[in-house]
Amino acid sequence: MNDLGQDLELRLVRYFTVVAAHQHFGRAAADLHVAQPALSRQIQRLEKYLGTRLLDRVPQGTRLTPAGQRFLPRAQALLQAARQAELTVREEAETERITIGYVEDLVITAAVRELRRRYPDAEITTRHLSCRDLGVLSDKRVDALIARAPLPLADDDVFTTPLYEEPRMLVVPRGHPWADRPSVTAEELAGKEAAPCPFETTDWTSYRILGAGLSPIESYEDKLELVASGGAIAVLPVGDRRSSLRPDLVTVPIEGAPSSKVVLVSRKGDPNPMIRNLRLVAGAVLTAPAA
């Protein structure tokens, strides 16, 4: 029995096609940037709506039921038709529009203000993101992303514009042996073990929490709390001022560490003219914060 009075949700259809492609709930959840239990519940909602089971769990992952095999090509066609309808309307619309995603501590107000001044009739929106939301660019929920490199995005899929660089600093709790140092060196930090993070792709990432035996830490506030309690030390860009809001933390310059790079990223081949406009504006007005 389906949910009477409710229309079929395209989001649930998309979730089903991703699970079918991966044949595994865990990999599909990672691809969709959702929790696996939540993904399982959404697939169950779709199956309840359709009145039939679409996927069976097997030791290797999942497999399509006969009903799922019949539904899959129709689901793919449905998503394609919806996307084509959206693109057609966007192409015919007279109003220019852009959604700009930005992450963590970055402040993009100057670029947004200047973009609105130059293009007063355009629809310009912003979206604050966490590191777990980086899929919004490939999912086309944002048109451009301003973030710190490196990003877990394939170079063949995106166009990257460097905006500015800034040095890194060490954050330690008050009373730490390094708290009164005028600086520390990158070599002194080289032997420190970093907490695992799915977005770490180089030795020096935008944010590092250093401490032996750490588990993955997602919340920025939890990271600072861990540092303040003496359980770890952190490496942050100097432009990240959030640690200065805590009187129990001290920042120390780092000598010899590569700089943190802030970039603007967009999808290759995107015809939206506002992306080029944003690129020009951001390059002109966004600069590294004063130390």
Side-chain angles (χ1 to χ4, degrees):
M1 181 66 67
N2 64 19
D3 298 328
L4 296 178
Q6 296 185 4
D7 295 328
L8 178 62
E9 294 185 34
L10 289 179
R11 178 172 59 93
L12 303 184
V13 175
R14 183 168 69 90
Y15 283 1
F16 164 72
T17 61
V18 175
V19 176
H22 286 281
Q23 298 184 29
H24 193 280
F25 269 92
R27 290 192 292 268
D31 189 7
L32 291 164
H33 300 281
V34 299
Q36 183 173 335
L39 177 60
S40 296
R41 289 194 296 270
Q42 298 308 314
I43 295 299
Q44 290 171 1
R45 283 187 57 201
L46 177 62
E47 291 175 330
K48 181 180 179 182
Y49 178 90
L50 296 173
T52 187
R53 192 167 184 81
L54 300 174
L55 295 160
D56 284 331
R57 292 184 181 270
V58 295
Q60 298 78 16
T62 62
R63 66 183 178 191
L64 292 169
T65 65
Q69 293 174 0
R70 292 191 298 271
F71 181 62
L72 180 58
R74 293 170 173 80
Q76 293 168 333
L78 180 61
L79 293 174
Q80 179 61 32
R83 182 56 182 160
Q84 189 58 50
E86 177 187 349
L87 291 175
T88 299
V89 172
R90 283 182 177 272
E91 290 173 358
E92 294 177 354
E94 295 182 358
T95 302
E96 295 178 318
R97 56 175 57 83
I98 187 172
T99 300
I100 309 164
Y102 64 104
V103 299
E104 295 290 356
D105 64 300
L106 298 180
V107 178
I108 64 170
T109 307
V112 175
R113 182 187 297 121
E114 179 62 15
L115 199 63
R116 286 174 174 159
R117 186 190 70 79
R118 297 187 187 186
Y119 306 96
D121 295 328
E123 293 182 5
I124 301 167
T125 58
T126 60
R127 183 168 181 167
H128 183 265
L129 309 171
S130 72
C131 68
R132 293 290 179 180
D133 294 322
L134 290 179
V136 296
L137 184 64
S138 57
D139 290 346
K140 300 185 178 180
R141 284 175 281 165
V142 300
D143 301 298
L145 176 65
I146 298 178
R148 295 186 186 275
L151 297 174
L153 303 172
D155 291 338
D156 292 341
D157 298 332
V158 298
F159 185 86
T160 301
T161 302
L163 296 179
Y164 60 86
E165 300 182 14
E166 56 186 346
R168 301 175 193 267
M169 63 184 178
L170 181 68
V171 181
V172 297
R174 289 195 179 276
H176 189 277
W178 288 348
D180 296 327
R181 292 268 298 270
S183 65
V184 296
T185 66
E187 289 75 14
E188 290 176 287
L189 300 176
K192 300 292 185 179
E193 181 181 353
C197 173
F199 296 115
E200 286 187 353
T201 56
T202 67
D203 290 337
W204 285 94
T205 51
S206 297
Y207 297 91
R208 301 178 75 202
I209 300 297
L210 306 177
L214 293 178
S215 299
I217 309 167
E218 296 184 10
S219 165
Y220 184 86
E221 289 72 22
D222 287 341
K223 293 177 181 180
L224 290 187
E225 183 61 34
L226 181 65
V227 174
S229 65
I233 57 179
V235 175
L236 304 179
V238 297
D240 188 340
R241 304 297 175 79
R242 290 172 292 179
S243 62
S244 65
L245 299 177
R246 296 191 57 143
D248 49 1
L249 296 177
V250 176
T251 61
V252 183
I254 302 175
E255 297 179 4
S259 59
S260 173
K261 298 177 175 60
V262 176
V263 298
L264 188 157
V265 183
S266 60
R267 294 179 294 273
K268 280 188 177 178
D270 194 323
N272 186 344
M274 289 299 294
I275 295 176
R276 177 182 178 276
N277 297 337
L278 171 64
R279 190 177 297 122
L280 295 174
V281 167
V285 304
L286 292 185
T287 58

